[in-house]
Amino acid sequence: MPINQPSNQIKLTNVSLVRLKKAKKRFEIACYKNKVLEWRSGVEKDLDNVLQIDNVFLNVSKGQTAPSADLAKAFGPKTPIKDIILEILSKGELQVGEKERQAQLERVHNEVIGIVASKLVDPKTKRVYTTGMIEKALDMLSSQGSQAQEDKDKPAAGKEAAPAVGEEGEAKEAKPKPVHAWTGVVATKSAKSQALDAMKALIANQPIPVARARMRLRITCPTGILKHTTKRYDMAHVEGEEKAHGTVKDHILSYIEQVETQDVVGPEWEVTGFVEPGAFKGLGDFIGSETKGQGRVEVLDMAVTHED
């Protein structure tokens, strides 16, 4: 027996939902698959290519549209429907199927491994590791992190840790040391931020010998400024170094781990060398402030490595 469906019913297929909870209500919009990420990344500019239907729902699968009163309470009484859709599209949670979720996670995972492998080297040989070795090292950290969390969650069997005692016999809290743990890649964070976390964890825990690949820079400064005594001296990047005074040249060279060449070319002094990535910002700030814009820092290589 044929089923007569309403003539005004809109059947949505190939749909991805974007949900946003606001004012104790859950609002949904129906979008085309893959178009939401393209919109958020700026690849897709046409909203009509993203939305399946220009409306806001409480439940897309049931075809239940959001009442005007709910929309006004959550987004404001005079907010146009297009602005509401744009807010849900930009801030809402994208609902994807299991296959799409696995594909996205695999893509982010591969991107993270690729970034880490290009930025870390063996400290002795300065050679890069293969992506396979980096992946195994992160797997080791992930397993250790999971085990440590399990041990932490287990209650102590009849033992309580004795509090640390100060000189006057007063109990004092032990400050926990910062721990760079790694629990694996997630699809909800950018690959770049996760790669930075992964590098910090690898460097802190050293499952394999690793270090950040150094940057190769060219620094140019007028010779007339080199012997000036600096007004400030930030040596936070050099442990145990406490100096109150120093020339501009001394300070520039203190940032450079290994000098490759240095020479005077006309009215300018030029030095090329290798710098730890963590010292790059401090060097740039120092050059900008102490030379009043007359000095320059050029990046010749973001990550110096030796490949087989």
Side-chain angles (χ1 to χ4, degrees):
M1 180 179 177
I3 299 175
N4 295 320
Q5 294 182 335
S7 60
N8 63 345
Q9 184 183 44
I10 299 175
K11 188 176 181 180
L12 300 176
T13 59
N14 188 31
V15 65
S16 283
L17 303 182
V18 180
R19 292 174 180 165
L20 179 66
K21 191 172 182 180
K22 197 167 184 179
K24 298 182 180 180
K25 292 284 185 178
R26 188 182 68 181
F27 301 99
E28 299 180 348
I29 56 175
C31 305
Y32 291 102
K33 288 185 178 179
N34 304 323
K35 286 297 181 179
V36 177
L37 296 178
E38 290 182 7
W39 172 270
R40 290 178 174 178
S41 63
V43 174
E44 180 59 66
K45 304 290 186 181
D46 191 349
L47 189 60
D48 292 334
N49 293 335
V50 181
L51 295 176
Q52 291 223 11
I53 185 169
D54 195 6
N55 208 343
V56 180
F57 296 82
L58 292 180
N59 192 312
V60 170
S61 61
K62 294 181 180 179
Q64 183 182 0
T65 58
S68 300
D70 290 347
L71 293 175
K73 183 179 179 181
F75 300 94
K78 296 183 179 180
T79 306
I81 190 69
K82 185 178 180 181
D83 291 348
I84 294 174
I85 290 173
L86 288 174
E87 182 175 343
I88 296 173
L89 189 58
S90 62
K91 298 180 180 179
E93 181 182 355
L94 176 62
Q95 308 296 311
V96 296
E98 185 61 29
K99 289 183 179 180
E100 289 86 354
R101 189 179 293 108
Q102 288 297 330
Q104 184 181 357
L105 183 62
E106 185 177 354
R107 178 184 60 79
V108 176
H109 174 83
N110 292 337
E111 194 173 348
V112 169
I113 297 299
I115 294 173
V116 174
S118 67
K119 300 294 184 183
L120 295 184
V121 296
D122 184 309
K124 293 182 179 179
T125 65
K126 306 300 180 186
R127 296 186 183 278
V128 295
Y129 287 102
T130 63
T131 54
M133 294 186 70
I134 293 295
E135 192 167 13
K136 287 181 180 178
L138 287 174
D139 286 343
M140 290 170 59
L141 291 183
S142 181
S143 300
Q144 292 172 4
S146 300
Q147 184 62 44
Q149 185 62 40
E150 289 179 7
D151 295 341
K152 183 180 178 181
D153 293 340
K154 289 180 181 178
K159 292 183 180 180
E160 291 187 2
V165 180
E167 292 180 358
E168 299 179 359
E170 295 181 356
K172 59 180 182 179
E173 292 185 9
K175 295 182 179 179
K177 294 181 179 180
V179 177
H180 296 290
W182 176 252
T183 55
V185 175
V186 295
T188 54
K189 294 175 63 178
S190 70
K192 185 175 180 182
S193 65
Q194 293 188 82
L196 290 174
D197 292 339
M199 285 188 282
K200 289 178 182 178
L202 287 170
I203 292 172
N205 296 282
Q206 295 286 318
I208 55 175
V210 292
R212 282 290 298 268
R214 298 177 301 176
M215 302 174 71
R216 185 167 175 261
L217 307 177
R218 180 191 293 125
I219 299 137
T220 308
C221 183
T223 55
I225 300 178
L226 293 179
K227 294 184 179 180
H228 289 185
T229 302
T230 56
K231 297 179 182 178
R232 63 177 179 81
Y233 193 48
D234 180 13
M235 290 295 290
H237 62 288
V238 181
E239 293 183 3
E241 190 76 29
E242 294 181 3
K243 293 183 179 180
H245 304 285
T247 64
V248 170
K249 183 178 180 180
D250 290 337
H251 290 303
I252 292 174
L253 291 175
S254 71
Y255 282 94
I256 303 174
E257 189 178 84
Q258 179 184 345
V259 175
E260 193 175 31
T261 62
Q262 61 172 315
D263 199 4
V264 175
V265 182
E268 292 186 324
W269 172 69
E270 184 179 284
V271 58
T272 302
F274 301 97
V275 175
E276 288 293 328
F280 175 68
K281 186 180 185 302
L283 173 61
D285 291 344
F286 177 81
I287 294 291
S289 63
E290 296 299 330
T291 67
K292 294 180 172 60
Q294 298 179 64
R296 300 188 305 276
V297 180
E298 301 173 65
V299 178
L300 303 179
D301 196 335
M302 283 293 295
V304 180
T305 61
H306 299 287
E307 299 187 14
D308 291 327

